[in-house]
Amino acid sequence: MKNNNNLNTFFIIVLLIIKIILINGINIKNNNQIVINSIINNNNNNNNNNNNNNNNNNNNIGNIDNNRIGCEIHSWNDLNEFDQMYKKGITWNKIDVHYLTAIENGFCNSQNQNDSRGCFVFSHDVPSFKFQYNTTDQLLEYMVNRKDSWYNSNDGTNPKKFIDLCFKAKVNVCGNQSNNVTNDYLSLVEDFLQSLVDYKLKYSLNVEFILDGLIKPIGCLRDRWRKFNLVSTWIDNPIGALFSNNVQFGYDQFQVADIYIGNSIPQFWMDALCLLSPPFGKFTQNNSTTTTTTNQYPILVWEPSSQHDIESVSSSYYSCMNKHSTIKFPQLLFASNIDPVQLSLYSGSISNETWNFKINNFGLELNNNNNYNNYFSIDINLKNKSSSSSSSSSSSSSSSSSSSSSSSSSSSSSSSSSFKPGLNNINPKIVSFNSLNDEINTYFMLFFSNITNDDKIIYYHNFNSNEILGQLNYLNTTQLDIPTDSDFKKPINSLQVLNNNLLFIIDEWSNYLIYNLSVNKDGNIEIILSSFGNLVRSESINKTYNILSNLDINNNNNVTIIEYSSTNGCSLFLKIWSLNLITNEKYQLCNQCLYLNLSNFQINSISSVSKFSNVTIDNVNSTIDSIIYYSLSNGYIGAISLSIDSINNSSNIIYGPTIIDIGQQISVSMINDLIIEVHSEGYCYNNEFKNKRDGPRVCEQIPSPTSKILNYNFGTFNQWISKIKKRPKNLITACDDSIIHGTYNQGSFPNVLLYNSQQQQKQQQQEEQQKQSNNIGVLEVHQGLPFDFIDLSDCGRSTTWDGIVLNSWKLFPHYLNIKLN
């Protein structure tokens, strides 16, 4: 072993020399910048417009497992969070298994653990008497209860799970072998590992357990766990295991590289290990496997949370792959304390698996000191107002048929007084649509306001993509054609596309604009004003609109416009109009105060989704179901379920009002009865501090509004109804048993959209409903993090950007209704 120690010392010295001499010469960042001039690049055939898949350093990467960057959930020690974890698509997670002796102040008895040898509880930090913890017995019970949900080895659609067991104890494992505490600890470990192996065999569980922490096969434990046929993580010891699978020294058991993140230079160790030959030693070699497995395990990196660090490490890894293109690199997994959606967005500029684009919305010069891979720097020397442009429509809009599945979505609604001078005027809104003239692409239209004082100046960027999370192409930027004799002015309240050919926009003062949309032969959208007008004005503080149409039924030319608003005299007001799109004639169907005093606190924002749920024998939609979301000045978010009889012009509160979350600035979208809600000022359940502290457990926390935290909630219409049923308060947490909840980014004024891509819509015509739901995309835009923002949340700081950020990530809707035993 003396030779091994000398080699370890030598290797560390070499790495330090590398750090001092070479680190500044290492290509740690792909500085390929996407600069788009809206005058020149106005043709969607120009592939240089793509800001997603054309990063130079990533073009030739074809040798990475799954060609993506992933996440190992780190220290989610509350088993109540496991269902949410798996619903977010996670296959790797780490549990902290903490040992305490039986005589340690009676702690084990307080946890209902009565083994004379002591007990294991799940906690990173030293456990406290004040809290109850999950135990190893409960993990075994969970896996049995969820064997058909998450660990079914016969289900080809359910990927294999990996659970990293990081043992912690105040025990000198290889010290005095006659020490009773040491023997008790090792005996308990052995029994637990045996139980895991037995349960896996007995219940055919598709899961693998990884050794970590204080049970790694080092020293006296080198061969102790061989009979369990398990592999171990490797950090830096034994150093010989970096290159060798020598069975004599136990190196063959170390198969999962677990790499540090540097303090001042996050990617230092990644860069240093890339300089080895082969890079990362045996861990990039296809034949670097033990007798226990034939799989290539991922490279783990622990445990960055900021976007800057995640991008730096990701870029370093991809850069290494480019330098060694003949080697098949394993997947890179971040041992992450933050939400996996947030991590996927922060790594998206490198992985190209998500969209996380920074858009310079005013044509300002980009700060060259910022190393952004994915952004658009758009020169707003705008085309003429009447010029054609690519556009998009809300696939969340109601696309009614004789069935009851037609639905509509709405965007976030904030009163004009909420928008302060300066960048708060951006007010980003997003829609999408699929054109009959283009059978390949889905088009997106991103509306925003600028900092001028002209109330009629609104711009929109145009993009398209031929698949969900595929290549995103910038087309052009255009100023919205607003007629001078219209009262319409910014900010936009709601916008929606009907039947993929009509764009409907409403401002905060009930003025509306209707445009015809079409894609010309050059692949650009032609947008032509059809009509404009005004609904009955109200002195509302906040309002939101849903537009429902039956344009494809019985040659019906009418749309139904639903307005929910909050006024000084009525906390929640309902108005319904019928508008003829041909004659522009309108009449009011309903004018009703639903709640005089909904809450003791003022409503700050409202957003809603509505759908036709009942169709008469004459193909007339008779019943409208709505869910209204609202934020209150005390930081809470509430929801109400409402049923509207459109024939008799009456409404009934079905469920609510119910407090469901924490936050402000709500936006919600619906498609195929799937609903996603996003908001700012949310709460971050998972970060390094909260995951590791001794308590309270993650979902026993008391949430509070946190500046710039962006949250998402994703569930089915019926799951939302079930949530609202339990009034007066039923908070959605990271442990919710139905609605998927998490933090996805930092910023403000979010606006969200669910949509079907053109290609996915074609597939859906040939596939059953369950497969259809897998083809739904989410698109979100928000105002980025200000340069002067001081982040105290420790929730994974995003890189600053005083402009629009466009996000899209992978959804797993097929997990929403998975049967949990």
Side-chain angles (χ1 to χ4, degrees):
M1 296 301 293
K2 183 176 181 180
N3 291 335
N4 287 336
N5 291 333
N6 291 338
L7 181 60
N8 191 4
T9 302
F10 173 76
F11 183 73
I12 292 175
I13 292 174
V14 170
L15 289 184
L16 288 175
I17 295 173
I18 293 171
K19 178 177 181 180
I20 295 171
I21 299 177
L22 298 179
I23 193 63
N24 291 327
I26 294 175
N27 181 13
I28 63 173
K29 194 70 177 176
N30 170 19
N31 289 321
N32 179 43
Q33 299 178 337
I34 310 299
V35 179
I36 301 171
N37 183 296
S38 64
I39 295 178
I40 298 174
N41 293 332
N42 59 5
N43 192 319
N44 65 346
N45 293 321
N46 183 349
N47 290 329
N48 290 328
N49 290 352
N50 171 45
N51 73 322
N52 191 38
N53 293 338
N54 277 356
N55 290 331
N56 288 341
N57 279 357
N58 300 351
N59 279 347
N60 300 317
I61 295 176
N63 294 321
I64 181 173
D65 253 4
N66 301 321
N67 196 26
R68 68 186 181 92
I69 296 172
C71 175
E72 181 202 46
I73 288 297
H74 193 269
S75 295
W76 285 20
N77 292 315
D78 191 335
L79 288 179
N80 290 327
E81 201 173 8
F82 271 38
D83 287 335
Q84 285 257 338
M85 174 181 72
Y86 289 136
K87 286 181 180 181
K88 295 173 183 179
I90 292 300
T91 58
W92 278 76
N93 72 295
K94 190 206 78 168
I95 304 174
D96 297 303
V97 187
H98 216 120
Y99 170 73
L100 286 97
T101 66
I103 59 173
E104 203 158 351
N105 300 322
F107 174 83
C108 291
N109 288 333
S110 74
Q111 304 294 311
N112 298 316
Q113 301 292 299
N114 301 313
D115 194 307
S116 61
R117 296 171 294 176
C119 61
F120 290 125
V121 295
F122 297 160
S123 176
H124 182 280
D125 292 352
V126 177
S128 166
F129 276 94
K130 296 187 294 184
F131 306 106
Q132 289 292 309
Y133 302 90
N134 285 128
T135 66
T136 49
D137 290 338
Q138 290 172 332
L139 174 62
L140 294 169
E141 181 182 357
Y142 174 86
M143 289 190 298
V144 173
N145 290 338
R146 297 292 193 268
K147 60 182 175 65
D148 295 326
S149 305
W150 307 124
Y151 307 106
N152 189 345
S153 58
N154 297 319
D155 185 357
T157 63
N158 207 342
K160 182 178 181 179
K161 306 300 189 295
F162 296 83
I163 300 178
D164 184 335
L165 304 168
C166 187
F167 282 78
K168 301 179 182 301
K170 294 181 179 179
V171 175
N172 185 358
V173 175
C174 291
N176 185 355
Q177 295 298 304
S178 63
N179 184 291
N180 289 333
V181 173
T182 298
N183 291 331
D184 286 345
Y185 166 74
L186 293 176
S187 176
L188 273 178
V189 170
E190 188 139 357
D191 286 354
F192 176 48
L193 295 181
Q194 186 65 60
S195 296
L196 290 173
V197 172
D198 291 345
Y199 271 60
K200 177 181 177 179
L201 181 63
K202 179 179 180 180
Y203 297 102
S204 300
L205 303 178
N206 191 22
V207 62
E208 182 172 345
F209 305 101
I210 309 296
L211 303 178
D212 199 353
L214 208 58
I215 62 168
K216 288 184 179 181
I218 301 174
C220 66
L221 301 181
R222 185 180 65 190
D223 297 311
R224 179 149 188 159
W225 320 120
R226 278 197 178 276
K227 62 181 178 181
F228 299 122
N229 214 24
L230 303 176
V231 302
S232 173
T233 61
W234 177 89
I235 296 179
D236 56 11
N237 186 35
I239 195 64
L242 174 59
F243 300 98
S244 170
N245 282 318
N246 191 310
V247 177
Q248 179 182 356
F249 296 115
Y251 297 163
D252 58 314
Q253 299 172 89
F254 294 92
Q255 294 300 316
V256 184
D258 198 1
I259 311 301
Y260 296 107
I261 180 174
N263 292 326
S264 58
I265 305 176
Q267 72 284 355
F268 167 69
W269 290 104
M270 301 293 284
D271 288 332
L273 289 171
C274 183
L275 296 175
L276 299 177
S277 181
F280 294 90
K282 72 180 184 183
F283 297 109
T284 54
Q285 302 305 293
N286 293 331
N287 61 355
S288 63
T289 54
T290 69
T291 58
T292 65
T293 180
T294 58
N295 294 324
Q296 189 179 30
Y297 292 95
I299 299 286
L300 303 180
V301 181
W302 52 284
E303 41 193 293
S305 60
S306 73
Q307 182 174 349
H308 172 270
D309 290 354
I310 290 169
E311 286 182 340
S312 297
V313 173
S314 301
S315 182
S316 171
Y317 194 65
Y318 271 50
S319 176
C320 187
M321 286 189 291
N322 275 333
K323 296 173 184 177
H324 303 277
S325 58
T326 60
I327 296 176
K328 181 180 179 181
F329 278 70
Q331 184 184 11
L332 176 66
L333 293 186
F334 284 97
S336 173
N337 294 286
I338 61 177
D339 190 271
V341 170
Q342 186 178 8
L343 185 137
S344 71
L345 288 172
Y346 284 2
S347 64
S349 64
I350 311 299
S351 71
N352 298 324
E353 289 294 319
T354 59
W355 293 351
N356 189 22
F357 304 138
K358 294 174 169 62
I359 301 174
N360 186 336
N361 39 298
F362 305 131
L364 303 176
E365 289 186 13
L366 189 72
N367 184 345
N368 292 327
N369 293 326
N370 293 327
N371 290 321
Y372 295 129
N373 282 353
N374 276 336
Y375 72 88
F376 296 107
S377 178
I378 298 174
D379 181 359
I380 306 292
N381 287 319
L382 292 172
K383 296 169 70 74
N384 189 297
K385 286 185 182 181
S386 62
S387 65
S388 63
S389 69
S390 113
S391 119
S392 63
S393 92
S394 166
S395 33
S396 315
S397 61
S398 68
S399 117
S400 312
S401 63
S402 57
S403 69
S404 61
S405 64
S406 61
S407 65
S408 87
S409 82
S410 72
S411 55
S412 62
S413 168
S414 299
S415 66
S416 56
S417 60
S418 316
F419 293 88
K420 301 175 182 178
L423 288 177
N424 280 335
N425 284 322
I426 292 177
N427 186 31
K429 306 284 186 185
I430 190 81
V431 289
S432 76
F433 79 103
N434 299 312
S435 172
L436 293 177
N437 297 331
D438 184 344
E439 297 183 355
I440 298 176
N441 293 301
T442 296
Y443 289 84
F444 305 100
M445 180 182 284
L446 169 55
F447 289 83
F448 63 94
S449 304
N450 71 354
I451 57 177
T452 67
N453 294 322
D454 192 329
D455 287 335
K456 289 187 179 294
I457 294 182
I458 296 174
Y459 301 117
Y460 54 98
H461 298 318
N462 303 294
F463 311 92
N464 69 13
S465 180
N466 62 10
E467 62 179 321
I468 292 172
L469 292 176
Q471 175 173 307
L472 182 64
N473 305 297
Y474 168 78
L475 299 175
N476 50 33
T477 299
T478 303
Q479 182 177 333
L480 183 64
D481 181 13
I482 302 176
T484 56
D485 52 343
S486 166
D487 292 330
F488 188 97
K489 59 183 179 180
K490 66 182 183 184
I492 292 173
N493 178 291
S494 301
L495 71 168
Q496 210 161 305
V497 172
L498 307 176
N499 277 33
N500 284 317
N501 59 13
L502 286 177
L503 174 63
F504 203 110
I505 307 177
I506 306 181
D507 68 9
E508 293 284 350
W509 296 270
S510 304
N511 303 298
Y512 63 85
L513 304 170
I514 302 176
Y515 299 87
N516 292 312
L517 299 176
S518 62
V519 177
N520 62 28
K521 62 181 181 180
D522 295 324
N524 291 317
I525 284 298
E526 293 182 348
I527 173 170
I528 301 174
L529 183 68
S530 172
S531 61
F532 62 90
N534 180 267
L535 305 173
V536 178
R537 295 196 181 196
S538 62
E539 298 300 322
S540 60
I541 301 172
N542 290 284
K543 64 179 67 172
T544 185
Y545 296 91
N546 296 151
I547 303 101
L548 302 179
S549 73
N550 275 339
L551 301 181
D552 56 346
I553 296 180
N554 296 336
N555 295 318
N556 193 333
N557 296 314
N558 292 330
V559 295
T560 300
I561 303 173
I562 304 170
E563 176 193 302
Y564 295 105
S565 62
S566 176
T567 69
N568 290 327
C570 178
S571 287
L572 187 60
F573 212 103
L574 167 65
K575 295 180 181 179
I576 304 176
W577 290 270
S578 178
L579 173 66
N580 188 291
L581 297 176
I582 303 299
T583 65
N584 206 25
E585 293 178 342
K586 56 185 177 295
Y587 57 94
Q588 195 170 74
L589 301 176
C590 182
N591 188 25
Q592 178 184 0
C593 180
L594 301 177
Y595 279 98
L596 282 172
N597 188 18
L598 181 63
S599 170
N600 293 327
F601 299 93
Q602 178 179 324
I603 292 179
N604 285 342
S605 65
I606 305 177
S607 192
S608 59
V609 291
S610 299
K611 66 172 184 173
F612 289 119
S613 61
N614 186 29
V615 180
T616 68
I617 194 171
D618 298 322
N619 258 358
V620 176
N621 290 315
S622 61
T623 303
I624 298 172
D625 288 336
S626 290
I627 299 178
I628 305 104
Y629 302 79
Y630 56 90
S631 65
L632 299 171
S633 57
N634 65 347
Y636 282 106
I637 293 174
I640 296 171
S641 170
L642 183 72
S643 180
I644 302 171
D645 185 339
S646 62
I647 295 179
N648 298 312
N649 300 325
S650 61
S651 63
N652 293 307
I653 303 294
I654 305 301
Y655 301 111
T658 305
I659 298 299
I660 58 169
D661 209 338
I662 299 290
Q664 296 291 333
Q665 300 169 350
I666 307 166
S667 176
V668 61
S669 179
M670 178 169 67
I671 187 171
N672 298 343
D673 274 1
L674 294 173
I675 298 175
I676 190 166
E677 181 271 335
V678 299
H679 57 266
S680 66
E681 311 302 296
Y683 183 71
C684 178
Y685 280 92
N686 292 109
N687 63 25
E688 184 170 358
F689 170 72
K690 294 172 184 175
N691 290 0
K692 292 183 174 181
R693 63 184 176 182
D694 59 3
R697 281 165 57 172
V698 166
C699 293
E700 293 174 353
Q701 303 175 66
I702 299 175
S704 59
T706 307
S707 182
K708 305 299 182 182
I709 294 297
L710 296 174
N711 284 159
Y712 67 92
N713 292 304
F714 180 52
T716 66
F717 192 92
N718 288 337
Q719 287 170 339
W720 280 102
I721 295 298
S722 297
K723 177 63 62 174
I724 299 170
K725 278 183 182 180
K726 301 176 182 178
R727 56 177 308 196
K729 190 174 182 179
N730 189 15
L731 290 182
I732 302 169
T733 72
C735 296
D736 199 271
D737 58 2
S738 59
I739 294 175
I740 301 176
H741 171 92
T743 297
Y744 67 94
N745 212 322
Q746 290 183 310
S748 56
F749 299 104
N751 182 246
V752 71
L753 170 73
L754 292 176
Y755 72 96
N756 277 321
S757 76
Q758 184 78 288
Q759 292 298 306
Q760 271 79 15
Q761 279 195 336
K762 287 187 175 183
Q763 295 173 13
Q764 288 180 1
Q765 297 172 4
Q766 305 171 359
E767 298 175 352
E768 62 269 22
Q769 181 64 33
Q770 182 176 359
K771 291 184 180 179
Q772 289 182 22
S773 65
N774 294 336
N775 295 321
I776 290 173
V778 59
L779 197 63
E780 185 272 353
V781 291
H782 63 269
Q783 185 172 311
L785 207 61
F787 289 99
D788 59 353
F789 177 69
I790 299 175
D791 183 19
L792 301 177
S793 69
D794 193 29
C795 192
R797 182 185 175 96
S798 67
T799 50
T800 55
W801 184 257
D802 273 338
I804 297 172
V805 178
L806 184 150
N807 285 161
S808 183
W809 61 91
K810 188 173 183 179
L811 297 174
F812 299 91
H814 54 292
Y815 286 150
L816 287 173
N817 290 315
I818 194 168
K819 183 178 179 182
L820 301 176
N821 307 66

